[in-house]
Amino acid sequence: MASSLMSLVNDDSRYQKCFQLFLERSSEHQCMRDFIHNVLPDILASIGNGKSHLNVIGVGSGAVLVSQKPGLDYIKFTWNQMTAIEFEEHWKVKKMTKKADFIHMIQMLYYVKDPGATMSFFRSLLDKNGKLLLILVSGESGWEKLWRTYRNQLCNTEISQCVTTGDIKSLLDSKGESVMAVDPKTTCYDDTRAQSFQFYLQHSGEHAAILQILHNILPGEFKRIGVDKSSLDVLGVGSGGGEVDVQILTLLQSTFPAVPITTDIVEGSTPLTDNFKALVAKTPNLQKIPFAWHLMSSENYETQVKAKGDMKKFDFIQMIQMIYYVDNLADTITFYQSLLKNNGRLMIIVEEANSGWDILWKTYKKELAVDDITDYPSSAEVIACLKSLDLKYEEHATPNTFDITECFNPSSQTGKSLLNFLTAKSNFYESLTPEIRAGILDLLRNKCSTERDGRVIFNNTLSCILVSA
């Protein structure tokens, strides 16, 4: 049975059109669908275990499309066209005692005067083993920064404050209540950024350099990892479009052709994951390998694994060019190293210390490390971290370069696209001041690169670090 409360926002056609335009441009609903399909199944299964029926409440559910979903015919709906506060008053006046197994409040706490009180009320409606799902903007999101900065100008009778995940976690912590924090925004690596990444790969030759590392190092490693094992389990973290993972799995298969292999993939980008799945579908040797897809960030995967309490172990884990996106390097390495089986290996590929990337992002950290990437660790930071954790490792450096001459031609679209990716900006020329742009271009030419036959060649040397179980 499902019960739905209508949003506090007035049914104004102009607002609705604006909201629909936002949804079309932001991919927010796609982000939430990814979160629901990848995180909620296990949670809902635990809620419903052993129960003969389930009750659900949706608070601020927005537009409903029940008539267009035949699969929902068997669900009994109760419609409450009122605000969350009005529903609470109605519930208390009627002295209702019905409990809910699952309550969701998606992007609606901004519209109540006291988010803590509203949340407490709906939590009181939960049955045994029930869960309350809150989806809000992150404490470091653009929404949060905009509304906190211009609170006096933007907050009004409908939205009196910008409530974030950080606010809710602090509130629950102060009450000693448990919370499982999963940030769905980290699954929203949109088409534009995915295309920018693919463009970079085409021009940098980075995958070719990584494949050189794999073919030089992994065959021997795989022989040591797989000795006397009846099955092999592989985990790819931040696997992107899967081009490298396919090569890794092919090498592993050729080393142990008769040994069954399973693969888990953790990747936060829907477009890149779709590319990966398409690549698997057209690669015959991968057809017999079962894949488990986890469309989420590394941190969300860690949270989910720990919440379930059932940690699958792996013989080989790869983290290729992804540690720039984690919140805590030491915690991330500690977690994934703990997932290694006996004699397993964790492979981390990252930019070499003093490479062009390292110099650029260390020099302009204040200007560049402001969005998804808030730090840019190179091999130096990774190795220092491994030493502090007292973990055994081996390092292998692989020189790599690519031509960035076009970056110095303001009219070159190729140059603009490369600059956008190098600086993680959607538009290099509009996002930074003229002084910062000039400084970055000077640094790229004179500190991050060398000149060869009139071309500017960027130093993209990579480091492959193998961490032991």
Side-chain angles (χ1 to χ4, degrees):
M1 179 177 178
S3 181
S4 180
L5 311 183
M6 304 306 288
S7 171
L8 183 71
V9 178
N10 294 328
D11 187 18
D12 183 278
S13 60
R14 291 173 298 174
Y15 173 83
Q16 294 298 329
K17 290 179 181 178
C18 184
F19 180 55
Q20 288 302 320
L21 177 64
F22 164 73
L23 292 179
E24 292 170 6
R25 298 294 181 88
S26 69
S27 301
E28 183 167 299
H29 273 182
Q30 179 63 51
C31 171
M32 291 184 185
R33 282 194 294 269
D34 293 339
F35 166 76
I36 289 167
H37 287 290
N38 287 280
V39 177
L40 283 190
D42 289 336
I43 295 174
L44 295 176
S46 67
I47 292 172
N49 186 31
K51 294 183 178 180
S52 59
H53 66 279
L54 294 168
N55 295 317
V56 178
I57 296 178
V59 187
S61 296
V64 291
L65 302 171
V66 174
S67 62
Q68 301 176 25
K69 299 290 183 180
L72 300 181
D73 292 344
Y74 69 96
I75 297 177
K76 180 182 177 182
F77 281 84
T78 300
W79 305 100
N80 301 280
Q81 192 168 359
M82 59 184 71
T83 67
I85 302 304
E86 290 168 348
F87 179 79
E88 180 178 349
E89 293 173 353
H90 172 75
W91 189 280
K92 292 176 179 178
V93 168
K94 295 290 185 179
K95 298 181 180 180
M96 300 173 70
T97 58
K98 180 181 176 181
K99 294 291 186 177
D101 301 286
F102 183 71
I103 302 174
H104 64 78
M105 305 170 70
I106 300 175
Q107 296 284 49
M108 62 73 58
L109 277 181
Y110 321 113
Y111 303 99
V112 300
K113 292 182 178 180
D114 188 339
T118 298
M119 185 174 60
S120 295
F121 166 70
F122 283 101
R123 287 187 74 250
S124 73
L125 305 188
L126 290 175
D127 204 351
K128 182 181 179 181
N129 203 36
K131 292 288 188 295
L132 169 62
L133 169 69
L134 305 171
I135 295 183
L136 298 159
V137 296
S138 166
E140 296 297 325
S141 67
W143 283 105
E144 191 268 349
K145 294 175 182 176
L146 172 64
W147 280 76
R148 300 278 177 167
T149 303
Y150 291 97
R151 177 174 180 174
N152 292 336
Q153 292 78 16
L154 299 181
C155 290
N156 50 47
T157 56
E158 291 182 347
I159 300 179
S160 58
Q161 59 182 311
C162 180
V163 187
T164 71
T165 53
D167 297 325
I168 297 303
K169 288 167 68 177
S170 297
L171 178 63
L172 292 172
D173 289 342
S174 69
K175 294 183 176 182
E177 298 171 345
S178 62
V179 57
M180 175 181 173
V182 180
D183 192 350
K185 76 179 178 63
T186 54
T187 66
C188 293
Y189 192 52
D190 60 25
D191 287 318
T192 301
R193 293 174 61 195
Q195 291 170 5
S196 177
F197 176 56
Q198 293 298 332
F199 178 86
Y200 164 74
L201 291 178
Q202 293 167 9
H203 285 79
S204 68
E206 184 168 294
H207 270 180
I210 292 174
L211 293 181
Q212 179 184 341
I213 293 174
L214 302 185
H215 287 280
N216 289 340
I217 297 172
L218 287 191
E221 283 298 317
F222 284 159
K223 288 179 182 179
R224 287 190 288 273
I225 291 170
V227 64
D228 296 330
K229 291 186 177 179
S230 58
S231 65
L232 293 166
D233 299 299
V234 177
L235 173 63
V237 187
S239 294
E243 296 88 352
V244 175
D245 293 68
V246 167
Q247 295 296 322
I248 291 173
L249 293 170
T250 299
L251 281 171
L252 186 58
Q253 280 183 321
S254 64
T255 307
F256 297 100
V259 177
I261 299 170
T262 73
T263 301
D264 284 62
I265 301 298
V266 177
E267 170 56 53
S269 164
T270 299
L272 292 178
T273 298
D274 290 342
N275 290 344
F276 196 159
K277 291 179 179 179
L279 185 58
V280 170
K282 64 182 180 182
T283 307
N285 65 295
L286 299 184
Q287 301 306 311
K288 60 182 180 181
I289 296 179
F291 281 79
W293 305 95
H294 307 277
L295 188 57
M296 60 186 70
S297 69
S298 169
E299 281 85 1
N300 286 354
Y301 177 74
E302 179 179 348
T303 299
Q304 187 184 80
V305 167
K306 290 179 177 178
K308 290 170 66 176
D310 181 21
M311 293 190 182
K312 179 179 178 181
K313 299 287 186 173
F314 299 91
D315 300 284
F316 184 74
I317 302 174
Q318 63 89 351
M319 302 169 66
I320 299 175
Q321 295 288 51
M322 61 72 59
I323 62 168
Y324 320 109
Y325 300 95
V326 303
D327 293 332
N328 187 296
L329 179 61
D331 288 349
T332 298
I333 291 176
T334 299
F335 170 70
Y336 285 104
Q337 197 268 347
S338 74
L339 299 185
L340 290 175
K341 291 183 185 179
N342 181 45
N343 206 35
R345 291 288 187 277
L346 166 62
M347 180 177 75
I348 301 172
I349 293 182
V350 67
E351 301 295 340
E352 176 79 350
N354 297 315
S355 66
W357 283 98
D358 189 38
I359 294 171
L360 171 63
W361 279 74
K362 293 287 196 304
T363 305
Y364 284 95
K365 180 176 180 177
K366 180 181 177 181
E367 292 77 15
L368 303 184
V370 294
D371 295 315
D372 291 340
I373 300 176
T374 56
D375 198 5
Y376 204 90
S378 68
S379 60
E381 285 75 32
V382 174
I383 289 174
C385 180
L386 293 172
K387 289 180 177 178
S388 69
L389 296 171
D390 197 27
L391 296 176
K392 295 181 180 180
Y393 69 92
E394 298 175 10
E395 183 186 14
H396 304 268
T398 298
N400 184 46
T401 61
F402 66 94
D403 192 332
I404 62 168
T405 307
E406 290 299 306
C407 290
F408 304 93
N409 178 1
S411 62
S412 170
Q413 187 57 51
T414 296
K416 291 178 182 177
S417 297
L418 284 174
L419 284 170
N420 291 346
F421 192 82
L422 285 166
T423 58
K425 300 294 182 185
S426 59
N427 191 314
F428 172 77
Y429 284 98
E430 293 182 2
S431 301
L432 300 166
T433 66
E435 294 76 16
I436 296 299
R437 295 199 304 266
I440 288 176
L441 289 170
D442 179 72
L443 188 77
L444 286 172
R445 181 187 290 275
N446 297 305
K447 299 292 184 181
C448 303
S449 311
T450 57
E451 291 205 22
R452 188 186 309 157
D453 299 326
R455 311 297 294 179
V456 182
I457 308 301
F458 186 78
N459 176 6
N460 190 35
T461 299
L462 301 172
S463 174
C464 174
I465 302 168
L466 295 170
V467 184
S468 301

